[in-house]
Amino acid sequence: MPTITWEDPYCGEGNSCFRLGTDPDGNAYITVAGDEETYLSDSREALRAMILDIKAGKADHLL
């Protein structure tokens, strides 16, 4: 398992908490809080692009 530095959880209503993390090799991670052993990983640039797209409203149709 890589050495991941996890951010504090981002929580919505109820139990929907997610955590973002990074490692020293430039990879980014996202997981459900409390299940950090199971995660999705990609580059930090990919995580940055996803966050910017979400902020720009490109995922609003999922709400």
Side-chain angles (χ1 to χ4, degrees), residues 5-35:
T5 302
W6 293 107
E7 298 290 325
D8 290 337
Y10 296 92
C11 298
E13 304 249 346
N15 295 325
S16 57
C17 295
F18 295 91
R19 294 185 81 181
L20 302 176
T22 56
D23 71 17
D25 295 324
N27 299 306
Y29 302 84
I30 186 168
T31 188
V32 174
D35 193 18

